[in-house]
Amino acid sequence: MASQQQLSAVKGAKVLMVGAGGIGCELLKTLALSGFQDIHIIDMDTIEVSNLNRQFLFRRSHVGLSKAKVARDAVLRFRPNINITPYHANVKDPDFNVDFFKKFNVVLNGLDNLDARRHVNRLCLAADVPLVESGTTGFLGQVTVHLKGKTECYECQPKPAPKTYPVCTITSTPSKFVHCIVWAKDLLFAKLFGDTTQDNDLNVRSSDAAGSSENSKDVFERRKDEDIEDYGRRIFDHVFGYNIEMALSNEDTWKNRNRPRPIYSKDALPEKSIKQNGSVEKNGSTDDPSSVSAMASLGMRSPQDVWSLMENSKVFLEALKLFFTTREKEIGSLSFDKDDQLAVEFVTAAANIRASSFGIPLHSLFEAKGIAGNIVHAVATTNAVIAGLIVIEAIKVLQNDTKNYRMTYCLEYPTKNMLLMPVEPFEPNKSCYVCSETPLSLEINTYQSKLRDFVEKIVKAKLGMHSPIIMHGSALLYEVGDDLEEDMVANYAANLEKVYASFSFI
Ligand SMILES: [Zn+2]
């Protein structure tokens, strides 16, 4: 039961929501139904068809429209007397500065990326506004409360970097399907359809081969007048046959591992079956490149089926053929996109053939797509639970009920009979470079590092600082801003190219 005090805290509150997606739709609805009357909402995205299964404020007719604006309209239909102010914009826009944040009693995050979360965390610290932060991954979720000086900030604990794999696991000794996906996507797909001049581990081996002039050329290049079918089979034999033979020749590698099996196209696929396939003509006439599909032209329907080695080999050759016959102009500039059907088909087939070689269980296109796109399928219920918890914490924040703040984790399976695990918030980390005064020490080689390396790779990329000012003593080396004089801009640009040791300081 809501107390009188709760109600007035809620009614008078000015709330900023960042994100109107999976969590955001639930959150806006729950805020409105909980009595909040002044809600501002920022989201830069427009509605996509794939959002509709869980972002329930949106309908098919809204596809292409602003999430923030449509969410507002949808909620006003059942709560017509409250104020919702939408911003179809990036929260990192300079308009949303410290003064803007200061207007709010609490900020609620429903974001999907680290960069924006860090940005909002810093603005909340600068404006001294409490932040309720959240996130979900499938069945898992969490809500945390951040109050300057009282609890840890969003960045007090380092966040785990996105999962990466040792290079040799990917290039030589895969043991899980995800390793085969990374290989198919980052090495093979990139080599064939991306920047074809790049050197990567796929063709290092081919140049090891006793050097006829044929071999010294890039194997991945399609020869003049080479039949597309022959080209596809040559690539197949090189990456799944020859490269595996080469790897096997290094006995030490396989002492404690299962030896992979080289697979050649003539074994996986009888010559005729694909040569007789007239699919190219059928697909070549289509105008929309996104509708080109190897599965469609091979008459394969279900993305949930796990294909046999032969089916994977067919899809591999067919997809490669379709890239060259229908999307030739894009070759050389393509990068893997999980929403590109043909790319997903190619990567699924290539990963499965490699998995087959290494005795790793094969996967369906649906599963492979999820792994390739780092997709954990969103669960609407988790979003709803998390949104409810955000509102509960927001109400505590508005009532200044500091001792009852909780970080709550939503678990996949009940632990000690609890699906929701509340934890008291931690104290601020005294050495956090974001919320404490503690300086951060960095060591750089002043004879090798240019100011540009420092600014771009460390200050901006690693530390997430968007508008840094770099000084040495009282000398200003670099700053960012719209209102800088031209000669200052030129001066800073010149500084970026200098190594540290070359700055002469008085
Ligand atoms: Zn901190």
Side-chain angles (χ1 to χ4, degrees):
M1 268 296 166
S3 70
Q4 211 52 41
Q5 192 196 0
Q6 246 177 21
L7 284 176
S8 64
V10 163
K11 270 191 175 170
K14 196 176 174 79
V15 178
L16 175 64
M17 276 180 58
V18 191
I23 294 175
C25 279
E26 293 286 345
L27 180 57
L28 184 60
K29 170 263 296 174
T30 307
L31 285 172
L33 294 177
S34 306
F36 284 83
Q37 303 199 333
D38 188 2
I39 308 166
H40 292 237
I41 179 162
I42 304 176
D43 196 305
M44 67 189 288
D45 285 342
T46 54
I47 296 159
E48 293 181 34
V49 173
S50 62
N51 302 144
L52 301 178
N53 65 355
R54 62 191 182 284
Q55 299 178 18
F56 68 96
L57 296 176
F58 310 143
R59 296 290 176 268
R60 191 165 272 274
S61 59
H62 298 136
V63 169
L65 303 178
S66 153
K67 286 190 175 180
K69 290 180 180 163
V70 174
R72 168 193 183 267
D73 296 346
V75 168
L76 286 185
R77 255 182 274 139
F78 57 85
R79 273 289 181 275
N81 299 318
I82 66 172
N83 290 311
I84 303 177
T85 313
Y87 306 86
H88 181 205
N90 188 338
V91 69
K92 285 161 81 178
D93 286 351
D95 288 350
F96 305 121
N97 54 16
V98 177
D99 288 334
F100 176 84
F101 272 69
K102 275 187 177 157
K103 292 190 288 194
F104 298 96
N105 299 103
V106 64
V107 174
L108 313 176
N109 266 357
L111 285 163
D112 61 357
N113 70 86
L114 187 64
D115 200 38
R117 284 188 170 106
R118 293 170 79 176
H119 186 80
V120 173
N121 179 47
R122 292 170 192 200
L123 277 165
C124 285
L125 286 167
D128 200 4
V129 178
L131 168 66
V132 182
E133 163 59 48
S134 73
T136 64
T137 316
F139 293 103
L140 304 177
Q142 82 284 327
V143 172
T144 54
V145 188
H146 305 281
L147 204 66
K148 189 177 181 178
K150 295 211 169 73
T151 71
E152 61 177 17
C153 82
Y154 176 70
E155 295 175 88
C156 273
Q157 307 298 334
K159 297 287 171 284
K163 189 107 180 95
T164 57
Y165 302 96
V167 176
C168 60
T169 305
I170 302 304
T171 58
S172 318
T173 54
S175 56
K176 292 183 181 148
F177 189 67
V178 64
H179 301 150
C180 301
I181 287 282
V182 173
W183 174 88
K185 184 174 81 145
D186 293 353
L187 294 180
L188 187 60
F189 184 89
K191 183 70 197 164
L192 285 169
F193 308 119
D195 178 4
T196 48
T197 59
Q198 67 162 319
D199 241 351
N200 75 29
D201 287 296
L202 290 173
N203 57 337
V204 167
R205 292 223 174 80
S206 67
S207 60
D208 294 344
S212 70
S213 58
E214 198 62 16
N215 270 328
S216 61
K217 261 188 73 181
D218 191 338
V219 224
F220 287 86
E221 214 170 289
R222 189 175 167 192
R223 292 167 195 147
K224 205 167 170 282
D225 300 328
E226 185 174 22
D227 176 70
I228 184 63
E229 169 83 25
D230 294 340
Y231 172 65
R233 283 180 177 259
R234 193 163 60 74
I235 298 299
F236 188 114
D237 292 344
H238 179 78
V239 297
F240 302 117
Y242 175 79
N243 276 359
I244 300 291
E245 305 256 18
M246 293 306 288
L248 281 168
S249 65
N250 186 351
E251 287 295 335
D252 281 352
T253 314
W254 311 108
K255 264 186 195 151
N256 301 308
R257 290 188 177 92
N258 291 331
R259 295 169 64 87
R261 170 175 68 103
I263 300 174
Y264 288 93
S265 61
K266 65 179 186 329
D267 305 324
L269 208 57
E271 197 96 14
K272 277 181 193 162
S273 61
I274 192 131
K275 286 255 178 183
Q276 287 171 348
N277 187 319
S279 60
V280 175
E281 291 75 13
K282 208 164 59 197
N283 275 277
S285 59
T286 168
D287 290 333
D288 177 9
S290 67
S291 72
V292 175
S293 155
M295 278 178 74
S297 70
L298 293 167
M300 298 161 77
R301 303 218 182 283
S302 172
Q304 311 268 7
D305 288 345
V306 178
W307 304 328
S308 65
L309 176 60
M310 187 196 273
E311 286 170 320
N312 277 296
S313 305
K314 281 186 187 171
V315 172
F316 178 89
L317 291 177
E318 185 68 18
L320 186 127
K321 190 193 287 181
L322 289 173
F323 268 116
F324 276 89
T325 50
T326 67
R327 297 171 60 176
E328 195 160 19
K329 283 199 196 90
E330 295 170 71
I331 290 173
S333 62
L334 278 165
S335 53
F336 178 79
D337 173 357
K338 66 175 167 44
D339 297 318
D340 179 342
Q341 171 71 16
L342 195 58
V344 172
E345 290 172 342
F346 180 82
V347 164
T348 302
N352 273 327
I353 300 166
R354 185 166 172 84
S356 177
S357 194
F358 282 85
I360 296 166
L362 308 195
H363 286 65
S364 69
L365 177 116
F366 180 77
E367 293 165 318
K369 179 178 173 177
I371 298 168
N374 291 323
I375 303 166
V376 176
H377 296 283
V379 176
T381 315
T382 313
N383 287 339
V385 169
I386 290 300
L389 290 166
I390 296 173
V391 176
I392 289 171
E393 291 308 317
I395 292 172
K396 291 182 204 166
V397 166
L398 295 171
Q399 292 179 306
N400 231 339
D401 189 7
T402 327
K403 63 178 190 307
N404 284 316
Y405 290 174
R406 291 293 178 272
M407 307 196 284
T408 310
Y409 294 88
C410 183
L411 309 173
E412 183 161 359
Y413 304 103
T415 305
K416 295 179 189 160
N417 283 329
M418 288 193 293
L419 197 61
L420 297 178
M421 193 169 68
V423 179
E424 281 188 36
F426 297 119
E427 306 240 301
N429 172 359
K430 291 195 176 61
S431 58
C432 173
Y433 73 89
V434 177
C435 70
S436 82
E437 304 277 310
T438 315
L440 183 68
S441 302
L442 299 169
E443 230 171 81
I444 58 171
N445 183 328
T446 53
Y447 291 94
Q448 283 181 359
S449 307
K450 286 181 182 173
L451 183 61
R452 177 184 294 286
D453 298 326
F454 176 66
V455 169
E456 279 171 9
K457 293 181 190 160
I458 297 174
V459 177
K460 289 189 179 169
K462 260 229 139 59
L463 304 180
M465 296 175 178
H466 297 283
S467 313
I469 293 180
I470 312 234
M471 301 183 72
H472 183 279
S474 59
L476 195 53
L477 303 185
Y478 178 79
E479 67 180 317
V480 184
D482 295 332
D483 47 358
L484 299 176
E485 304 279 333
E486 241 170 70
D487 55 335
M488 295 305 279
V489 173
N491 191 18
Y492 296 146
N495 281 349
L496 284 176
E497 304 313 320
K498 292 183 188 164
V499 297
Y500 265 87
S502 72
F503 287 108
S504 51
F505 302 112
I506 306 157

